[in-house]
Amino acid sequence: MRFKSCRIKNGQYFTQTIMAPVYVTFQPAYDRCNEGIENAIMMTCSIHTDAELWERLSKEEYKEKKEVLAQVMFAETKKVLPVEDYVLYSEVGSPKTYKRYIGKSKVGGFPLTVRNAILKPKSVRSSFSQLYIVGEQSFPGPGTLSSALSGSHVARAVMKTWALG
């Protein structure tokens, strides 16, 4: 995804030109009572963003930027997946939303960059001998395929440990 800075009041800029992946995932849809919704799926679109930028915004600026960023992300998603005719309901969240509901503002693992994914990958091993880290937080990094591969690396490490033990 690539988009230019979004101007907010007082001539400040919310973000600079960004080239970042939009992460899109699909899962079964559930209502607010956690009941499955037949013939419906939920699509989640997200990007990595600096949580501190959101903290500095006034209430008006926050609301405006959340909507602008959501529109930009959805426009970019539609270029690849023509889903606009199928969307029944939409919600927008930010790092502040996540902080309010799940207690942390950073979600989605680490950003997909050359440094994080190739030059300095995080090991599947932890500081505890019998605890392994699986998913986009560990090598080979973010994404469905990479997360699955990290599980394969852990399975091989565990099997090797058991065989030697």
Side-chain angles (χ1 to χ4, degrees):
M1 173 173 90
R2 180 185 169 97
F3 58 94
K4 297 276 185 194
S5 299
C6 304
R7 188 178 282 275
I8 58 176
K9 290 183 179 181
N10 305 325
Q12 298 175 332
Y13 286 89
F14 175 67
T15 182
Q16 298 171 354
T17 300
I18 292 178
M19 296 211 39
V22 175
Y23 300 95
V24 179
T25 58
F26 296 92
Q27 55 207 29
Y30 292 90
D31 64 19
R32 293 189 184 271
C33 297
N34 207 28
E35 298 289 328
I37 301 173
E38 193 172 330
N39 298 320
I41 58 172
M42 183 171 71
M43 178 179 80
T44 304
C45 302
S46 61
I47 63 167
H48 287 278
T49 183
D50 185 351
E52 290 179 17
L53 290 174
W54 294 88
E55 295 297 329
R56 291 184 245 157
L57 298 173
S58 71
K59 196 172 191 176
E60 288 175 358
E61 292 167 337
Y62 170 83
K63 185 177 179 180
E64 177 187 347
K65 291 307 113 205
K66 194 164 77 164
E67 286 302 321
V68 167
L69 190 56
Q71 290 172 11
V72 170
M73 288 173 55
F74 191 62
E76 290 298 314
T77 301
K78 289 190 306 184
K79 290 178 183 177
V80 178
L81 300 167
V83 296
E84 61 272 14
D85 292 338
Y86 302 98
V87 176
L88 302 176
Y89 174 75
S90 175
E91 282 187 15
V92 181
S94 73
K96 289 177 79 170
T97 309
Y98 280 88
K99 181 82 168 172
R100 179 178 178 190
Y101 291 104
I102 64 171
K104 63 180 188 168
S105 59
K106 294 183 179 180
V107 296
F110 53 91
L112 182 58
T113 64
V114 171
R115 178 179 166 87
N116 288 340
I118 298 171
L119 301 178
K120 194 176 180 185
K122 295 187 179 192
S123 174
V124 295
R125 295 196 177 268
S126 73
S127 58
F128 300 101
S129 63
Q130 294 184 355
L131 178 66
Y132 295 86
I133 302 166
V134 179
E136 62 185 20
Q137 291 283 357
S138 61
F139 179 79
T144 304
L145 179 58
S146 295
S147 293
L149 286 172
S150 74
S152 175
H153 291 307
V154 167
R156 285 188 296 166
V158 168
M159 289 170 39
K160 184 177 179 181
T161 302
W162 284 349
L164 295 175

